[in-house]
Amino acid sequence: MTAPSSSGAAAPSPASAGGWLHEAIARIEADYHRSADTHLIPLNLPAYAAHGIDLYLKDESTHPTGSLKHRLARSLFLYALCNGWLHEGSTIVESSSGSTAVSEAYFARLLGLPFVAVMPRGTSAEKVALIEFHGGRCHFVDSAAEVYDAARAIAADTGGHYMDQFTYAERATDWRGNNNIAESMFLQMQRERHPVPRWIVVGAGTGGTSATIGRYIRFQRHATQVCVADPAGSVFAAYWRTGDGTLTATGSRIEGIGRPRVEPSFVRTLVDRMEEVADAESVAAMQVLSTLLGRRVGPSTGTNFAAMLRLASGMRKRGERGSLLSLLCDSGERYLPTYFDDAWVAGTIGDCNAARAGIQARMDA
């Protein structure tokens, strides 16, 4: 059996692969057991706490590869291995703006497989360096829309396998439990004053995280709702409103989330609300949150935080109590020459002063 998105080259079946397949799965499982769960961080926001509203971030930056995408990469590798799509010597190819590629490069090296990441030229130099550190090779294209065809072509040329995170993210993870991110969130919230969150807020790149969380919530019959924070230029919010899968957009300037086309893994029926966040607001929220935590966070975490504050403000106005939970997706150290560089922000994003004042006012009011 070969994956629809791979080169189509014949690959050994799991049975004929024999010991290599079993060893590959064992290596990934051993790596998982060496890792502790990520921390849940309560945010110190007295203006909301006094009204019975608590905000939390699950810190996914502490994974071995430094981001939320470590979970996805592990799931994608296990899914491909158990489907018989990978074999000894397979070249792994992925279309990624950075973090998924960093994590997949890590797992490819763990299995002794070559890895190629296909990404837009504007991807941060820090992410490129991390991919190369883990033994991967980067192939650059001019725009985000070109990554899909380029990745398929490289997989075909090498006789390798295109992982295709945008198709398989929502199905590679066991959404019913098995220590997925949703189960971890609810277990860690059990001793908080509002243990079942009113809202869980996530960004969407593939859509896999929102799908896993949305399905888990329904399966466990929780009252929690899912909000996707969507950056400017992304197509997901328009698709969520209309259901038109043919829509396209310009693409996001917030690295790691938002897409120019509707991705197969984004399941709109699992999302209760979309919050569209302007680029200046995402960057401003990233800056304010970094000050609040005493360490830098990445821009997609800023997008999440901006949406959290909107929801929390609405709850406070309506006299509602409860908790809101989101993700600290990755560290801001990956973005020092870009989102944390004033000149780059001024030239690429624009003036963020008004947005920063707005975020601060919403925190303090």
Side-chain angles (χ1 to χ4, degrees), residues 2 18 31 59 73 92 222 235 285 295:
T2 56
D31 179 81
D59 186 3
I92 308 298
H222 291 309
V235 75
R295 61 187 178 97

Side-chain angles (χ1 to χ4, degrees), residues 18-278:
W20 183 86
L21 173 66
H22 296 167
E23 175 64 20
I25 293 172
R27 287 185 183 185
I28 292 175
E29 289 294 280
D31 179 81
Y32 166 71
H33 282 283
R34 289 193 293 268
S35 302
D37 199 2
T38 59
H39 294 184
L40 189 68
I41 302 172
L43 299 182
N44 182 23
L45 297 173
Y48 289 99
H51 292 270
I53 300 170
D54 302 323
L55 283 73
Y56 301 83
L57 291 174
K58 186 165 175 59
D59 186 3
E60 294 293 288
S61 73
T62 59
H63 284 293
T65 54
S67 82
L68 167 67
K69 299 300 186 179
H70 192 85
R71 294 179 188 268
L72 172 59
R74 182 171 59 223
S75 295
L76 288 170
F77 267 82
L78 288 172
Y79 189 72
L81 284 164
C82 292
N83 281 334
W85 297 344
L86 299 185
H87 55 90
E88 189 171 5
S90 293
T91 295
I92 308 298
V93 185
E94 185 60 282
S95 50
S96 170
S97 63
S99 288
T100 301
V102 172
S103 297
E104 287 190 17
Y106 171 91
F107 284 104
R109 186 173 70 172
L110 187 69
L111 303 187
L113 302 177
F115 177 77
V116 181
V118 181
M119 62 183 67
R121 296 188 192 282
T123 301
S124 70
E126 284 70 22
K127 286 187 177 178
V128 171
L130 284 170
I131 293 164
E132 293 174 345
F133 171 79
H134 291 299
R137 176 170 67 85
C138 298
H139 177 89
F140 297 100
V141 295
D142 292 328
S143 71
E146 298 176 52
V147 296
Y148 315 96
D149 289 342
R152 291 188 187 95
I154 293 171
D157 290 344
T158 61
H161 174 67
Y162 173 31
M163 276 293 198
D164 194 1
Q165 60 166 325
F166 299 107
T167 295
Y168 295 107
E170 59 88 10
R171 65 195 74 172
T173 299
D174 183 356
W175 48 268
R176 287 160 293 195
N178 192 25
N179 198 37
N180 67 35
I181 192 168
E183 182 180 60
S184 177
M185 286 175 161
F186 280 90
L187 287 173
Q188 288 178 313
M189 286 291 295
Q190 284 182 346
R191 298 186 186 277
E192 304 302 315
R193 66 169 171 172
H194 304 298
V196 176
R198 176 70 182 83
W199 288 100
I200 293 179
V201 178
V202 296
T206 61
T209 301
S210 60
T212 295
I213 293 170
R215 287 170 177 153
Y216 181 85
I217 287 169
R218 294 182 181 197
F219 183 61
Q220 296 293 335
R221 303 180 298 281
H222 291 309
T224 307
Q225 290 185 287
V226 175
C227 172
V228 167
D230 206 34
S234 172
V235 75
F236 289 136
Y239 169 62
W240 182 79
R241 289 192 299 268
T242 66
D244 183 357
T246 67
L247 291 173
T248 59
T250 57
S252 168
R253 289 187 293 184
I254 302 302
E255 196 169 310
I257 56 172
R259 298 299 301 164
R261 72 170 198 181
V262 177
E263 302 295 354
S265 282
F266 183 79
V267 184
R268 61 190 287 269
T269 53
L270 294 171
V271 177
D272 299 292
R273 179 166 175 162
M274 299 287 298
E275 285 290 335
E276 296 177 76
V277 181

